[in-house]
Amino acid sequence: MSVAALPLPESRPVLRERGQREVFCGLTGIVWLHRKIQDAFFLVVGSRTCAHLLQSAAGVMVFAEPRFATAIIEERDLAGLADANEELDKVVNRLLLRRPEIRQLFLVGSCPSEVIKIDLKRAAERMNAIHAPRVRVLNYSGSGIETTFTQGEDACLAALVPEMPADDAEQLLIVGALPDVVEDQFLRLFAELGIANVKVLPARRSTHLPGVGKGTRFLLAQPFLGDTGQALEGRGARHLPALFPFGAEGTTAWLEAAATAFGVDPMHFRSVVAPGRERAKRAIARQAEVLRGKSIFFMPDSQLEVPLARFLHDELGMELVEVGTPYLHKSHLAAELKALPADVQLSEGQDVDLQLDRVRAARPDLTVCGLGLANPLEQEGLATKWAIELVFTPVHGFDQAGDLAELFARPLVRRDRLVL
Amino acid sequence: MQLTVWTYEGPPHVGAMRVATGMKGLHYVLHAPQGDTYADLLFTMIERRDHRPPVTYTTFQARDLGKDTAELFQKAARDAYARYTPEAMIVGASCTAELIQDDPAGLAETMGLPCPVIALELPSYSRKENWGASETFYQIVRQLADKERRPAPREGRRPRANLLGPTALGFRHRDDVVEITRLLAALGIDVHVTAPMGSRPTDIVTMGEANFNVLLYPEIGLEAARWLEKTFGQKCTKTVPIGMAATRRFVAEVAEIAGVAVPEDLDAGRMSWWSRSIDSTYLTGKRVFIFGDATHAVAAARIARDELGFEVVGLGCYNREFAREIRDMAKELGVEPLITDDYLEVEEAIAAATPELVLGTQMERHIAKRLRLPCAVISAPVHVQDFPARYSPQMGFEGAQVIFDTWVHPLVMGLEEHLLTMFREDFEFSDAAGPSHLGHGGGHGAVALAEVPEADVAVLEAKPEGWLPDAERELNKIPFFVRGKARRNTERFAAEHGIKAITVETLYEAKAHYAR
């Protein structure tokens, strides 16, 4: 559809497209967020479509008494809003009775709930009055009309920021849900660096919400946290700009941003990160044999595309054809964009048919795309890497750098291996 | 509002997608917000299709709400026509677009697209996936079928039938169509159009040329079949050929409608011998709980009772539209029908019925896993493993064979069952080992026990005071798969007879009392 070139700060052109988008909505974030915040429940207020989406995205996880569900809006709820609020109260009461261990309830807005303007903020306040202090009720939007895929996490974390206790003590805050194993690695590294007061958002339990204030400096672990970053700055915290912690270089730069801000001696920094950095480089080198010189095309999905493209280009020698992202946060990605080669085609938003035309014309060695597109492209003879796995798999930090590279190498290795 | 963790059916527009994706030369323009494209992956991943579903989404976002969305819809429809040049289009709204009150039907009409455009009204807040598929197919047939078409004279040619109901994402639809096409061919009948799956809009135009219709899946094809009967006078089969007896009835029905003779040498396959062979004796009276879509559940109940000799202890479906069929069958079986789309209710009913085998959907498979019961899948919704690469119909005589293998496989094998009883103290046949062909060797029992949810453990540990040690030991000698039932029966017997202390005698008294 409409195409306009928009200059970046360093006047890099970005192809901006509007049209059919083949992306998930923000509700999908629930699938990993509920694993991370162990005493939280996510109640989507939406339609059968929303419930069906969660079920499809969560796959087999749905059956292990998950901590998410959908309050499905029915015809009679559409008749009058007062009724809808009463109905919602009933659903929540039933839910909290059934799951007494829940301490944090998120009312998650969807397209239908937003279009008919069910005021979930007021509903959350109303329920807080009833269920506090045992359960804290918050709301955010995961609707497709507002959010794309990982932006659901941004909206959720941004809703938590006002709840963080005020605390002006000097501290480092790591922002973004990471797999526990990765989070623990980072906490060990910061401890070794001598940064004493390190907290994470989201915390594993809602009762351990970190404080925030003038002494807080935060590192973003994920590139899709625009609103959360802004909300933290609104509470007096300062952002530490850095590359995102993918690969040996990205992780080093990310750790260094904190080390510098907290006055860690550079010699000490190098000695602490050296072993991990070396391990990462060794692990990456093996995959580079497969990936070097191969071309890659990113379709928009998670906003991880820009940092991942930088990693694959810098550390594995891949050639970038197009790096598509659903949303380009230019200030949070400033360092990443600077590190990308000058001639890379960046695109923001999507008109999927036009973008697929470009994929077919370029015939890249590897295309990163969603599950709705992957098999059809494979059938056309194009190798693909399905993007969602990059969100669900531990990929950050030194000790996952090899695994991250391997995720991209595996489809190519498989094509070489199969004799069919 | 309805609190929902798991849903048996998607929204109605997913039903429309199943029709569109099954067909060729048809394109669906769906007025829907960003994110609704998730449904594409049901087709590309679960059914492993190698093409994108023929669906264009308007993908409106918050900033488009207001005047923009109608324009967006028209542009999407125009672009879709230009790119795909379909023979016909269907247009409609998803749940959110239904709320913003753009009128896809009216909007498409004013555009003057150079192909038939079929507008769909799919009420998302009161109807579901199967209804959506049925309505979409009905509208396509009603608006495209040429009312002037009639069958050619019968002289010198075989009778022709349309196959109605198969769609994309249908449980075993692909192979059922092959099997029934073969069966009809063996009767001297040709298939005219198979629809929706496999047909083009230009094929739908000619549907009146068939002599009669074969309705494979009433959930999807019944409305269209009724209209075809009314409009063209085409008779339609009533029997769904799942199971040996049903297939034989189907053959007789088709032969009657088509005016052909049933060949004497019709190959009915191996199923009936397999079930009569003595190795199957141990299947007699196995307690089975059945849940799924109504068509598959009713068919399964007949097979279970009449062709495998099971005892059906529970029967239900999730699609209310066909609840009557379930109620009738349940009455015949003397069980309480379960009509619900709430999987927690299904779980309760299964736990209460204490079956030895569960036949159901993907969901019942997980319930059965939690309750440590054998299970086989008989109905959608299903996961990727139930869209197999191998030929595996449910219908016809080959389908009956597939069903025999599939249902018997998860049960403890006959000889193994005896060995478990005889050598229950033997370390290699310990109760906890479970069926040898399903577990992971010796460790399986221990692992499975550790997975029993806390609530269940509490039940197991809460020994009624009444059990004397000798009786408890005797109870533990009963194989694990019937021990729970023996315990409950004994306790019920004791309660009914005012027995406070349960002895070995009580245990066997109760056994005799409940033996039928």
Side-chain angles (χ1 to χ4, degrees), chain A residues 339-355:
Chain A
L340 281 184
D343 59 344
V344 170
Q345 172 71 72
L346 290 172
S347 65
E348 183 182 16
Q350 186 178 37
D351 182 324
V352 72
D353 284 318
L354 298 181
Q355 193 170 38

Side-chain angles (χ1 to χ4, degrees), chain B residues 311-454:
Chain B
E311 185 192 350
V312 179
V313 295
L315 178 68
C317 74
Y318 55 78
N319 52 336
R320 265 165 218 289
E321 293 91 340
F322 288 77
R324 214 182 63 189
E325 281 79 348
I326 288 286
R327 289 207 182 89
D328 292 349
M329 189 68 209
K331 201 170 166 196
E332 199 181 314
L333 293 162
V335 298
E336 209 36 53
L338 178 67
I339 316 295
T340 181
D341 59 358
D342 182 346
Y343 90 98
L344 295 173
E345 265 183 55
V346 180
E347 187 174 70
E348 274 168 30
I350 291 176
T354 62
E356 290 160 86
L357 175 67
V358 177
L359 301 174
T361 72
Q362 185 61 38
M363 189 59 229
E364 282 66 49
R365 188 143 89 179
H366 287 272
I367 292 172
K369 189 169 152 197
R370 203 177 81 75
L371 299 174
R372 301 193 64 205
L373 294 169
C375 179
V377 170
I378 58 157
S379 160
V382 294
H383 271 326
V384 64
Q385 67 269 42
D386 276 301
F387 285 93
R390 68 181 183 279
Y391 185 59
S392 25
Q394 297 286 292
M395 291 184 176
F397 296 122
E398 176 68 23
Q401 290 171 176
V402 169
I403 285 171
F404 181 90
D405 289 345
T406 310
W407 295 10
V408 171
H409 174 86
L411 294 170
V412 182
M413 285 179 282
L415 181 59
E416 193 180 4
E417 186 171 315
H418 290 297
L419 290 172
L420 277 169
T421 318
M422 284 172 66
F423 301 110
R424 59 195 156 227
E425 309 294 338
D426 187 307
F427 70 102
E428 278 168 326
F429 279 104
S430 78
D431 283 0
S436 62
H437 59 300
L438 294 181
H440 309 285
H444 174 67
V447 172
L449 271 182
E451 282 169 0
V452 174
E454 275 174 42

